[in-house]
C-alpha cells in the first residue's frame, strides 16, 4: 500500500506497517491488554485512514502517530490511547533532550565551558565536559524521579555535581600522617613510607591527586602541620623549605580527572606548637609567599590558618609569630584564609575543626566519632531562595510554607542520591575506600557496599540569594535595614532547625550549607529572569548574591559588614565563609589586616578571608594592581588572580555570571 515515509530528520525510508502494530500492542500491554489481533485490526484502520487522507502522497512519522491516536480514540480504546500519547510524549522529550545534548557538545568543542574556573581548555577538558553533559542528561531523564528532576530543571533547587550523581561522593579530609606511616597503593604498586621531608611532601601531593580521581569535590589535609611534623626528623630549615616549595609546585601542576584540572586542594595548619610542626608551618608559608617560579601567585593549595587563644592568637602565645607571618603572606598572596577555633560553635571541639577552601565544614556525627579526619560531604543540593520569594509575592506566610516544602524536597533528593550511591562497591572507589581512608571503610572488602562509610559524611542543603530574597520580602537587603537583617537571621535559623529535624527523622548527618555558588549563581538568575521577567534588585543582574553575604556592590564599612554576616555562621554548620574587599594588597598595613581578623573573631565567625585585586605581569614579574599595561615595563600580558567561591583562579576562567559579580565588587570602607 505504502512504500516510503519521511523520517523526522527529513530522510525518506521504507515504510513498515509492523511498527504501527508493535506501537499499538505496546501501549495496550501498558494498560493490561494482551490481544495482538486487535492491534492488527486497528493497524488496518490506520492504514485505511492514511490512504484516504494522503491519496498516495508521502507523509511523515508524526502524521502516522496522529492517525494512531485518532483511530484508538474512535474505537473506544481510551486507556490504550492515553498510554500511547504518554509514550509518544516521553519519546519526544528524549529526542529533544538528545538534540539539546548534541548542541551542548557542539558548543564544548568550540570552547570549554567555564562553569568551573579550575578547568582549562585542553582536549582532556573537552572530553571531560562532553561526558559530563551526557551524564547529566541521563540522570535527569532516566534515573532521578521525575518530580525531583523537574525541580532542578526549573531552578527551584540545584543538584550539585549532577554529572557524578551515581558515580562517587564529594570531598574528604585526609589523615595524612596515618596514610604516610602505613604507605599506600594508588593503582600500580605499594608506596612505602617516606623518610625525608622531600619524599613526604611529594607523597602528600600524590595522596591528594589519587583521591581526586576517586571524587568530584575538594581534597584537604586537616592537620598538615601536625601530620608532616612526623617526617621532618633533624632536617635543616632549607631542606624543609624546599620540600614545602615542591609541594606547592606539585599542587599547581599535577593534573587529575583525566588530565583536565589540578586538584582542589586545601591545607589546615597553625596550631601545632612542636618545633617540627612550627618548622612545617613557617617554611610552608615562606614558600607560598615566594610564589611560583617567576613569582606568580600560587592558585593551590588553599591555606586555612587555624586561630586559637593560648596557641597563636595573642602576644606571648607559642605560635603568635606564625600568626604574624600568616598575616604578612595573606597581605601579599590572598592566602591564608583564617578559621576561628574559639567561635561559639567550634570551641567545644578544641582545635580540631578544619575547613576546606570552598567553606565545607564537617564535625557532628550521628554514626560515630565527632571528628574532621576521614570524613567529608557526600552530596549537596541548593535552594533558590529568591524564586520562593518571587512566587510568594510578598506574602510571608506563603514564603514559609514554600520554603519548608522545598527543604523537604531537598531532603528527598539527597535521600534518593544516597539510595543510588549505596550501590557502589569499595572497588569502585579504589583509593579512598580500597585503601581504608574513609571512616567506616576499615572492615570492608572490594565487593562490599560503601554505605557503612558514607553514612559518616554529611548531606548538605544549601541556599543562595538571601539578599535578593530580603529585597523581595522587605524592599531592602540586610545591609540596608535592621528589619531585613532580623528576617534574614530568622530565615536561616529556621532552615537550620528544619535540617536538624531531618537528622532526627533519618538518623543521618544533614547539615545547612552557605552555598559556594559558581556556575549556579548565574543559572538560577537566568531561569528566574526568563520566567518572571526583570525585577529590580533581583533579576536585573547576571547573578544572585552568594549565601548570606551582603551584596558585593553595596557600599559598606568593613567592620559593619563583619557584624552583619557574623551571626549567620553559627547556623550554617555544613560550611560558611565571609570576606572583606580591599582596594589593593594591604602589604603596608598589616596592623589594619590584623584588626579585621580580630573583629571577625569577635563577631563569632567560623571561617573568613580577605580579597583584593592581585595582578602579575608575565613579561617582567611585577606584582600588584595593574590596569591595562604594566607600570614597570609597559607590557599588557597580565595574569589576574581573584578569589572565586573560596578558591583562587585567574579571571580568564571566570564564567559570565562570576565576571559580572567580580566587576560589581567594590572595596569596603576604611576602618
Amino acid at each position: 500500500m505504502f512504500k516510503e515515509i519521511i523520517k523526522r530528520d527529513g530522510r525518506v525510508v521504507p515504510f513498515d506497517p509492523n511498527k504501527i502494530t508493535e506501537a499499538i500492542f505496546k501501549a495496550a500491554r501498558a494498560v493490561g491488554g494482551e490481544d495482538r489481533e486487535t492491534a492488527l485490526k486497528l493497524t488496518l484502520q490506520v492504514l485505511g485512514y492514511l490512504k484516504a487522507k494522503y491519496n498516495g502522497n508521502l507523509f511523515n512519522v508524526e502524521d502516522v502517530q496522529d492517525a494512531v491516536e485518532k483511530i484508538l480514540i474512535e474505537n473506544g480504546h481510551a486507556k490504550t490511547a492515553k498510554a500511547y500519547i504518554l509514550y509518544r510524549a516521553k519519546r519526544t522529550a528524549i529526542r529533544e533532550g538528545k538534540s539539546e545534548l548534541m548542541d551542548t557538545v557542539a558548543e564544548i568543542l568550540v570552547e570549554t565551558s567555564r562553569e568551573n574556573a579550575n578547568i582549562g581548555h585542553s582536549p582532556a577538558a573537552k572530553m571531560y565536559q562532553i561526558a559530563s553533559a551526557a551524564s547529566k542528561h541521563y540522570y535527569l531523564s532516566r534515573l532521578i524521579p521525575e518530580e525531583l528532576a523537574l525541580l532542578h530543571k526549573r531552578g527551584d533547587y540545584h543538584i550539585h555535581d549532577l554529572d557524578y550523581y551515581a558515580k562517587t561522593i564529594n570531598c574528604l579530609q585526609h589523615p595524612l600522617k596515618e596514610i604516610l606511616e602505613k604507605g599506600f597503593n594508588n593503582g600500580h604498586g605499594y608506596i612505602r613510607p617516606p623518610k625525608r621531608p622531600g619524599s613526604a611532601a611529594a607523597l602528600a601531593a600524590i595522596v591528594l591527586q589519587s583521591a581526586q580521581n576517586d571524587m568530584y569535590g575538594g581534597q584537604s589535609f586537616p592537620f598538615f602541620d601536625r601530620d608532616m611534623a612526623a617526617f621532618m626528623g633533624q632536617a635543616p630549615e632549607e631542606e624543609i623549605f624546599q620540600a614545602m616549595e615542591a609541594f606547592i609546585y606539585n599542587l599547581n601542576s599535577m593534573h587529575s580527572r583525566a588530565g583536565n584540572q589540578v586538584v582542589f586542594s586545601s591545607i589546615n595548619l597553625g596550631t601545632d606548637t612542636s618545633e617540627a610542626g612550627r618548622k612545617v608551618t613557617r617554611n610552608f608559608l615562606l614558600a607560598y609567599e615566594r610564589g611560583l617560579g617567576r613569582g606568580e601567585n600560587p592558585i593551590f593549595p588553599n591555606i586555612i590558618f587555624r586561630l586559637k587563644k593560648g596557641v597563636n592568637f595573642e602576644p606571648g602565645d607559642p605560635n603568635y609569630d606564625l600568626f604574624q607571618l600568616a598575616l604578612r603572606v595573606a597581605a601579599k598572596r590572598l592566602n591564608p584564609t583564617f578559621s576561628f577555633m574559639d567561635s561559639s560553635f567550634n570551641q567545644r571541639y578544641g582545635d580540631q575543626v578544619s575547613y576546606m577552601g570552598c567553606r565545607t565544614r564537617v564535625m557532628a556525627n550521628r554514626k560515630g566519632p565527632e571528628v574532621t579526619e576521614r570524613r567529608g560531604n557526600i552530596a549537596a543540593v541548593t535552594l533558590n531562595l529568591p524564586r520562593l520569594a518571587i512566587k510568594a509575592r510578598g506574602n510571608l506566610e506563603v514564603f514559609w510554607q514554600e520554603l519548608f516544602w522545598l527543604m523537604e524536597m531537598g531532603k528527598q533528593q539527597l535521600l534518593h542520591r544516597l539510595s543510588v550511591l549505596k550501590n557502589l562497591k569499595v572497588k569502585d572507589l579504589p583509593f579512598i575506600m580500597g585503601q581504608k581512608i574513609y571512616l567506616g571503610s576499615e572492615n570492608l572488602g572490594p565487593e562490599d557496599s560503601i554505605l557503612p562509610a558514607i553514612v559518616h559524611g554529611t548531606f548538605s542543603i544549601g541556599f543562595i540569594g538571601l539578599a535578593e530574597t530580603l529585597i523581595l520580602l522587605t524592599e531592602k537587603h540586610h545591609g540596608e535595614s535592621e528589619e531585613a537583617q532580623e528576617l534574614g537571621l530568622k530565615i536561616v535559623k529556621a532552615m537550620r532547625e528544619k535540617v536538624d529535624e531531618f537528622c532526627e527523622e533519618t538518623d543521618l548527618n544533614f547539615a545547612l550549607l552557605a552555598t559556594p555558588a559558581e556556575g549556579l549563581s548565574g543559572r538560577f538568575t537566568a531561569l528566574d529572569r526568563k520566567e518572571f521577567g526583570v525585577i529590580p534588585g533581583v533579576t536585573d543582574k547576571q547573578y544572585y548574591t552568594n549565601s548570606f553575604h551582603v551584596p558585593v556592590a553595596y557600599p559598606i564599612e568593613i567592620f559593619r559588614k563583619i557584624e552583619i554576616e557574623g551571626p549567620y555562621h553559627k547556623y550554617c554548620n555544613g560550611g560558611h565563609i565571609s570576606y572583606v574587599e580591599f582596594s589593593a594588597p594591604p602589604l603596608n598595613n598589616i596592623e589594619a589586616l590584623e584588626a579585621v581578623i580580630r573583629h571577625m573573631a569577635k563577631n563569632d565567625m567560623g571561617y573568613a578571608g580577605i580579597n583584593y585585586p592581585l595582578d602579575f605581569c608575565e613579561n617582567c614579574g611585577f606584582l600588584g594592581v595593574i590596569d591595562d599595561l604594566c607600570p614597570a615595563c609597559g607590557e599588557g600580558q597580565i595574569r589576574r588572580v581573584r578569589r572565586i567561591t573560596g578558591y583562587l583562579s585567574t579571571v580568564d576562567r571566570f564564567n559570565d555570571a562570576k565576571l559580572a559579580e567580580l566587576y560589581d565588587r567594590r572595596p569596603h570602607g576604611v576602618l
Side-chain angles (χ1 to χ4, degrees), residues 489-656:
L489 288 169
K490 185 177 180 181
I491 290 170
V492 176
K493 180 175 183 288
M495 293 177 70
R496 169 61 185 276
E497 290 171 349
K498 180 60 68 172
V499 165
D500 288 346
E501 289 178 15
F502 294 162
C503 294
E504 292 296 324
E505 292 172 16
T506 64
D507 198 29
L508 293 170
N509 298 315
F510 279 89
L512 183 64
L513 174 68
T515 294
E518 187 174 339
L520 166 60
S521 179
R523 176 178 181 263
F524 273 170
T525 314
L527 289 170
D528 290 350
R529 187 187 305 114
K530 182 177 180 181
E531 182 168 348
F532 304 109
V534 176
I535 303 172
V538 181
T539 63
D540 56 353
K541 56 187 185 303
Q542 293 190 53
Y543 60 91
Y544 283 149
T545 303
N546 254 343
S547 61
F548 53 70
H549 292 177
V550 173
V552 297
Y554 181 67
I556 190 170
E557 191 265 334
I558 288 178
F559 277 17
R560 180 60 184 148
K561 182 177 192 288
I562 293 169
E563 290 161 5
I564 291 170
E565 294 185 6
Y568 290 94
H569 283 227
K570 63 178 173 289
Y571 298 125
C572 300
N573 60 331
H576 44 251
I577 197 166
S578 287
Y579 301 109
V580 296
E581 297 281 339
F582 287 78
S583 58
L587 284 166
N588 299 316
N589 201 353
I590 303 297
E591 295 80 7
L593 174 56
E594 182 172 355
V596 168
I597 300 302
R598 291 188 179 281
H599 200 63
M600 290 170 167
K602 180 181 177 181
N603 282 272
D604 207 28
M605 286 187 170
Y607 181 36
I610 61 166
N611 290 337
Y612 49 80
L614 187 59
D615 303 324
F616 176 82
C617 176
E618 295 186 330
N619 181 60
C620 73
F622 176 86
L623 184 70
V625 179
I626 304 175
D627 292 328
D628 295 328
L629 300 176
C630 175
C633 70
E635 292 296 321
Q637 294 179 325
I638 311 301
R639 184 175 187 258
R640 303 184 188 278
V641 174
R642 305 292 187 271
R643 197 182 306 278
I644 181 170
T645 65
Y647 293 99
L648 304 184
S649 184
T650 50
V651 170
D652 60 297
R653 295 191 177 191
F654 279 35
N655 61 50
D656 290 342

Side-chain angles (χ1 to χ4, degrees), residues 277-296:
R278 283 172 48 77
K279 286 181 179 179
V280 170
T281 298
R282 182 186 308 113
N283 285 282
F284 181 86
L285 290 174
L286 290 172
Y288 198 92
E289 182 181 38
R290 178 181 286 187
L292 300 179
R294 296 187 301 163
E296 303 98 323

